[in-house]
Amino acid sequence: MARCAFMEQLWRRNSQCGALFRLLQRRSSSWVYSNTHGFNEEEIREKLQAFPGGSIELQKQDSGIATLTINNPARMNAFSGSMMVSLEERVTQLESWTEGKGLIVRGAAGTFCSGSDLNAVRAISNPQDGMQMCMFMQNTLTRLLRLPLISVALVEGSALGGGAELTTACDFRLMAPGSRIQFVHKYMGLVPGWGGAARLVSIVGSSEALKLLGGAVNVDPDHGLHIGLTDTVLKGNEESEGADGVLQQAEEWLSRYTKGAAAVIQAVKRVVLSGRELQLCEALRTEKEVFGRVWGAPANLQALANKSKHK
Ligand SMILES: CCCC(=O)SCCNC(=O)CCNC(=O)[C@H](O)C(C)(C)COP(=O)(O)OP(=O)(O)OC[C@H]1O[C@@H](n2cnc3c(N)ncnc32)[C@H](O)[C@@H]1OP(=O)(O)O
C-alpha cells in the first residue's frame, strides 16, 4: 500500500504524467465490469468480431462537436458484433479528444437503430456469451455517457430495443417528427441488458420506466416530451433548410451549450456527471477538484482581464 501511495505521488509530481494518471484513473473508473466480475473482454471481443456487417462512423469537427453514426441501413442500423466492438473503439477515441465539447449520436439513412442484430443474437444465445455481451455493452455505454462531452441522441425513424437503450446513454434526446423510441424487449422475452433500464429510471422516474418497459410503449415525440424522455422535437427535414436539416438543427441546439473553451465545457459535464452519479460528499470533492483545474486557467484569466458583464 505504502509503495502504491509513493508511486502515485511520483506520478502526480510530473504534470504530464499527472494528466496521464488522471486519464487512466478516469478510464478505469468508467468501467463497470473487469475480470474480477468474470468479464473476459478479449474473448467476447473476438466472438463479436465473428459477426461482421455495418460500421460506426466518427466525424470530429473543428467546432468541437463530433457525430457518431450507427451505419447498417440494410438492417435498420441493427448492431452487428463488429459494430459493438467498433463502438467501443470510437468511445476510446473520444475519451482522449481534448478539443471536444459535444457529441451527436445518430443512425444512417433516416432511422436511429433497431437494437442488436437478431442474427448475431441467435448465434450467441447461450447464457455465457449473453452475459459477456451484456457486460461489454454496459461498459461501453457507461463510458459513452461519462464522456466529458455534452451528448445528444438524434432520433429519426425508430429507436428499438438496444437502440432505445442507446438513446439513454446520451445526456439529451432530440426527436424528429414521426420518430419513436420503444423498449420492445418484452416482446423478445427480454429486459434491457445494455444498462437501459437503470438509466431510464434516472431519466423518467421508476413509475414511467415501469410503464415504458412493462407495456413496451411506443413513445412518439409528444409523449416523449410529456414524460421527460425527450428534450426537444425538431422540425422535419422538409420544413428545414438543406437535405440534412435535422442534423443541422441538432448541431444548433447543442451548440447553445458548447460555446466557450473546451476545458470549461468538459468541466461543466464532469461536475454535472458527478452530481448525477456520486454520493453528495464524493460529488462535492470531485467538484472541488474540477474547480481547481479551471480556477486561474486561461479561460478564467481571460474572462477576468475582459471584466465581462453578464447582462
Ligand atoms: C439487449 C438488446 C436487445 C435487442 O436489441 S433485441 C432486438 C430488438 N429489435 C427488434 O426486435 C427489431 C425487429 N425489427 C423490426 O421490428 C422491424 O424490422 C423495424 C425495425 C420496425 C423495421 O420495419 P420495416 O420498416 O417494415 O422494415 P423491415 O422489417 O423490412 O426491415 C428491413 C430489414 O432490416 C432487417 N432488420 C430490422 N431490424 C433488425 C434487427 N434488429 N436485426 C437484424 N435485422 C434486422 C429486417 O430483417 C429486414 O431485412 P430483410 O430486408 O428482410 O433482409
Side-chain angles (χ1 to χ4, degrees):
M1 283 299 282
R3 199 188 147 129
C4 272
F6 174 65
M7 290 299 286
E8 189 172 315
Q9 259 185 344
L10 270 183
W11 270 96
R12 287 178 188 281
R13 202 165 291 159
N14 179 311
S15 68
Q16 252 190 334
C17 288
L20 180 61
F21 176 80
R22 278 196 300 275
L23 180 71
L24 290 174
Q25 197 184 37
R26 225 170 27 236
R27 277 198 61 179
S28 58
S29 66
S30 282
W31 292 356
V32 184
Y33 302 106
S34 63
N35 51 8
T36 57
H37 305 98
F39 179 48
N40 188 336
E41 188 179 352
E42 280 321 302
E43 194 179 281
I44 189 64
R45 191 184 281 275
E46 218 169 279
K47 283 197 177 155
L48 291 171
Q49 288 286 22
F51 301 99
S55 61
I56 306 290
E57 311 292 339
L58 176 62
Q59 218 179 0
K60 292 179 187 163
Q61 299 175 32
D62 292 342
S63 63
I65 293 180
T67 308
L68 194 66
T69 305
I70 316 303
N71 180 38
N72 193 5
R75 292 186 172 169
M76 308 301 278
N77 300 325
F79 266 90
S80 67
S82 63
M83 285 166 73
M84 293 182 197
V85 173
S86 174
L87 179 67
E88 191 274 337
E89 289 164 358
R90 298 308 195 191
V91 169
T92 301
Q93 279 173 267
L94 287 166
E95 280 169 336
S96 57
W97 188 28
T98 45
E99 300 84 27
K101 298 191 273 185
L103 177 68
I104 297 173
V105 180
R106 69 179 315 211
T111 193
F112 190 75
C113 170
S114 63
S116 53
D117 182 329
L118 295 170
N119 305 299
V121 166
R122 260 173 228 119
I124 57 164
S125 60
N126 68 75
Q128 293 83 356
D129 288 347
M131 286 301 92
Q132 293 293 323
M133 185 273 287
C134 163
M135 290 190 271
F136 184 84
M137 286 303 283
Q138 281 196 13
N139 269 354
T140 302
L141 295 188
T142 304
R143 288 168 57 199
L144 176 66
L145 185 58
R146 289 177 179 169
L147 284 172
L149 308 170
I150 301 177
S151 57
V152 303
L154 166 54
V155 183
E156 297 174 87
S158 301
L160 301 185
E165 296 192 60
L166 174 59
T167 71
T168 65
C170 295
D171 298 310
F172 299 105
R173 280 144 296 281
L174 315 186
M175 291 183 79
S179 64
R180 62 167 167 156
I181 299 175
Q182 190 172 6
F183 293 82
V184 295
H185 304 72
K186 186 182 87 165
Y187 295 143
M188 305 296 300
L190 293 173
V191 294
W194 294 357
R199 291 187 298 267
L200 186 64
V201 169
S202 75
I203 296 167
V204 298
S206 65
S207 51
E208 277 304 337
L210 207 48
K211 288 182 203 161
L212 297 190
L213 299 183
V217 177
N218 178 347
V219 181
D220 65 19
D222 286 342
H223 187 47
L225 274 182
H226 180 68
I227 60 175
L229 181 61
T230 306
D231 295 280
T232 200
V233 181
L234 304 171
K235 285 187 270 173
N237 272 330
E238 58 289 348
E239 292 171 63
S240 51
E241 286 164 33
D244 218 349
V246 286
L247 179 60
Q248 207 176 316
Q249 289 174 66
E251 281 179 11
E252 279 165 18
W253 189 91
L254 181 55
S255 63
R256 280 187 239 162
Y257 309 105
T258 57
K259 280 198 190 84
V264 178
I265 305 303
Q266 294 192 4
V268 167
K269 171 71 185 267
R270 290 215 169 90
V271 291
V272 171
L273 188 65
S274 54
R276 195 197 281 164
E277 290 198 353
L278 305 176
Q279 294 286 327
L280 182 61
C281 284
E282 212 184 327
L284 291 172
R285 282 185 212 111
T286 306
E287 187 171 311
K288 182 195 79 129
E289 194 224 319
V290 176
F291 178 76
R293 275 188 256 151
V294 288
W295 177 263
N300 177 224
L301 296 178
Q302 185 67 55
L304 292 172
N306 290 346
K307 297 187 182 144
S308 13
K309 287 190 181 184
H310 311 291
K311 286 186 171 173

